[in-house]
């Protein structure tokens, strides 16, 4: 079955460093992937969508890559800040509004 | 502009009871989707409604049902509650029902089944 997997281990980094989160997909080839941020007790917030032919997309300090050979998307936060601490979710959307999410990776940025 | 709103915020029920959760989409949005999120996991798709009709259904038992009203608000109903139904229930709205339409999530309803 179609599956999206993220590293379930929390990522701890120092303020100012670049955080890199990984999303792997198996058993299918999505035409695009989406990344969301979720704070504790809150709903996910959409960040970026990248299509398979875009390879890389940027938004302020955020960068997403899409490698169809490795079946992987990488999500980078440069110059990370404690306010970036949250859980980051990778997702693929299907027709009919169905989003398939990975389990999310918790990021903690220490001052 | 108000975002997606959900009520109630928290709910405690006992096994066997039923529950109704409510969602109001962003003004102008015609599509509402429901997700269940268990602690430590990503959200799992339950339903999508568009123009008051069910357009998509996830792998959930028939105890779960939903509907969408003429004003595009929506209700999620769960009957015969089980302990395993304890989760954060999220509602998301979007303008349309396309696969790339951005979904805007509400704050969720935290359901605890005892």
């Amino acid at each position: 079955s179609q599956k999206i997997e993220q590293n379930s281990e929390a990522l701890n980094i120092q303020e100012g460093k670049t955080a890199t989160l990984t999303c792997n997909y198996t058993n299918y080839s999505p035409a695009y992937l989406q990344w969301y941020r979720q704070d504790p007790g809150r709903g996910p917030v959409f960040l970026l969508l990248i299509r398979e032919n875009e390879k890389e997309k940027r938004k302020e300090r955020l960068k997403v890559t899409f490698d169809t050979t490795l079946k992987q998307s990488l999500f980078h936060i440069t110059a990370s800040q404690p306010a970036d601490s949250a859980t980051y979710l990778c997702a693929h959307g299907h027709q009919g509004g169905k989003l398939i999410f990975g389990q999310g990776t918790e990021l903690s940025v220490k001052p | 502009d108000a975002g997606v709103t959900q009520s109630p915020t928290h709910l405690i029920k006992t096994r066997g009871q039923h529950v109704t959760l409510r969602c109001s989409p962003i003004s102008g949005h015609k599509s509402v989707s429901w997700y269940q999120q268990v602690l430590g996991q990503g959200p799992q798709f339950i339903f999508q409604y568009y123009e008051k009709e069910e357009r998509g259904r996830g792998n959930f038992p028939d105890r779960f049902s939903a509907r969408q009203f003429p004003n595009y608000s929506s209700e999620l109903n769960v009957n015969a509650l089980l302990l395993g139904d304890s989760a954060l229930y999220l509602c998301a709205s979007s303008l349309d029902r396309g696969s790339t339409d951005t979904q805007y999530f509400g704050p969720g309803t935290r359901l605890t089944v005892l």
Side-chain angles (χ1 to χ4, degrees):
Chain A
S1 61
Q2 298 172 352
K3 219 172 174 184
I4 286 186
E5 292 178 324
Q6 297 181 252
N7 190 350
S8 57
E9 281 186 30
L11 179 62
N12 297 300
I13 64 168
Q14 206 66 32
E15 183 176 9
K17 301 292 186 184
T18 296
T20 299
L21 287 72
T22 304
C23 175
N24 296 295
Y25 54 91
T26 55
N27 298 328
Y28 73 120
S29 298
Y32 63 91
L33 288 167
Q34 302 183 32
W35 283 87
Y36 287 77
R37 169 184 172 141
Q38 186 174 25
D39 291 285
R42 308 290 293 273
V45 175
F46 172 78
L47 296 174
L48 282 166
L49 180 151
I50 183 167
R51 301 178 190 275
E52 62 177 343
N53 61 353
E54 291 183 310
K55 305 301 179 192
E56 179 180 302
K57 200 159 191 178
R58 293 175 184 262
K59 179 183 175 184
E60 297 172 352
R61 294 184 296 110
L62 308 181
K63 184 179 86 170
V64 175
T65 62
F66 197 164
D67 189 326
T68 55
T69 302
L70 294 177
K71 292 184 177 288
Q72 182 179 83
S73 175
L74 298 179
F75 177 84
H76 306 272
I77 305 176
T78 58
S80 60
Q81 305 165 1
D84 295 326
S85 298
T87 294
Y88 290 87
L89 296 157
C90 173
H92 173 235
H94 287 248
Q95 191 64 33
K98 174 182 180 179
L99 283 172
I100 296 177
F101 284 91
Q103 67 268 48
T105 299
E106 184 180 348
L107 172 66
S108 178
V109 182
K110 303 295 185 187
Chain B
D1 282 342
V4 177
T5 59
Q6 292 186 244
S7 63
T9 307
H10 296 87
L11 204 51
I12 298 176
K13 293 284 189 178
T14 56
R15 279 178 297 175
Q17 287 188 310
H18 71 272
V19 68
T20 298
L21 311 181
R22 295 178 175 83
C23 171
S24 291
I26 292 172
S27 177
H29 285 195
K30 298 181 179 179
S31 174
V32 169
S33 298
W34 287 94
Y35 293 82
Q36 180 196 66
Q37 187 174 27
V38 174
L39 200 62
Q41 298 295 317
Q44 271 202 296
F45 175 78
I46 309 175
F47 287 110
Q48 193 216 30
Y49 275 76
Y50 178 75
E51 289 286 12
K52 301 176 285 293
E53 289 189 14
E54 182 183 307
R55 304 289 183 161
R57 185 182 184 116
N59 189 23
F60 280 80
D62 292 343
R63 298 185 295 108
F64 289 77
S65 64
R67 55 180 175 166
Q68 187 176 34
F69 299 99
N71 66 354
Y72 301 108
S73 67
S74 178
E75 280 183 357
L76 175 70
N77 294 283
V78 187
N79 292 324
L81 286 167
L82 304 174
L83 295 179
D85 296 330
S86 296
L88 180 68
Y89 287 85
L90 295 161
C91 171
S93 77
S94 58
L95 271 172
D96 209 323
R97 56 184 293 262
S99 55
T100 58
D101 284 310
T102 300
Q103 294 197 26
Y104 297 86
F105 285 81
T109 294
R110 171 71 62 187
L111 173 64
T112 302
V113 182
L114 302 176

